[in-house]
Amino acid sequence: DAKTTQPPSMDCAEGRAANLPCNHSTISGNEYVYWYRQIHSQGPQYIIHGLKNNETNEMASLIITEDRKSSTLILPHATLRDTAVYYCIVRVVGGANNLFFGTGTRLTVIP
Amino acid sequence: NAGVTQTPKFQVLKTGQSMTLQCAQDMNHEYMSWYRQDPGMGLRLIHYSVGAGITDQGEVPNGYNVSRSTTEDFPLRLLSAAPSQTSVYFCASSYSRGREAQETQYFGPGTRLLVL
């Protein structure tokens, strides 16, 4: 599985959009981009995933560049409850469902 | 559904003691896995299972044993605890449909283990 690079920390004002970048320049054609988050030492929580098209669900939007070497997770209206560590993971389709976590981005939403 | 449950929530062991961390899921997921998370770090995969009777090693398997006798349960055994195994342990599960294994994983609340 390809490795990812994320900034260690970011701040965002409450109510504003939080844009979390992820670099995955060595991603293969059969690897998906996944985003999970971990709130205060709880178990990680799935947010969204995509292959090459932009995706949106009730939690967030995922924007993947055309060359697929980077992506951005967008929380459209950040709240204090969105303060968490956000993990960007790339994983191959098929085989075991293993997720390889890095150290993620610690997002702090400021009142 | 209760989702993924883990017991105990907290545990203190002395070096050399053995124990089993329990993990159960009621979603009929084929795939289950164990991760550990050390302070300030991401999760690292210990062992995983793609179905009852099938287990395999992850990134950091040494010092841990697993078995999968039922779809619902996936216990993690520490045979002789060491201080280096002090960590938070997370269990996860997901569907696995053969080669189209892209389903999301559901994590339990974690077990915090301290080995003295």
Side-chain angles (χ1 to χ4, degrees), chain B:
Chain B
N1 288 350
V4 180
T5 58
Q6 292 183 237
T7 56
K9 288 186 172 57
F10 304 96
Q11 184 70 49
V12 179
L13 291 178
K14 295 181 180 179
T15 296
Q17 286 185 315
S18 63
M19 79 160 295
T20 299
L21 281 65
Q22 301 292 344
C23 175
Q25 52 89 12
D26 60 359
M27 298 174 281
N28 201 31
H29 286 169
E30 297 92 343
Y31 178 84
M32 297 184 73
S33 58
W34 277 101
Y35 293 85
R36 62 176 287 174
Q37 185 173 34
D38 299 325
M41 297 182 66
L43 282 73
R44 292 185 292 169
L45 183 67
I46 304 172
H47 285 286
Y48 65 96
S49 168
V50 297
I54 305 170
T55 64
D56 206 345
Q57 297 181 347
E59 183 183 358
V60 288
N62 293 340
Y64 308 94
N65 282 347
V66 292
S67 61
R68 185 92 178 273
S69 57
T70 67
T71 299
E72 295 78 17
D73 301 299
F74 190 43
L76 178 72
R77 298 185 186 85
L78 285 71
L79 297 179
S80 180
S84 61
Q85 294 177 304
T86 293
S87 190
V88 181
Y89 292 84
F90 292 100
C91 179
S93 74
S94 73
Y95 289 108
S96 178
R97 301 179 199 148
R99 294 188 64 81
E100 297 299 319
Q102 61 214 49
E103 287 77 9
T104 63
Q105 291 198 28
Y106 298 85
F107 285 81
T111 292
R112 285 152 181 77
L113 177 66
L114 173 63
V115 182
L116 302 175

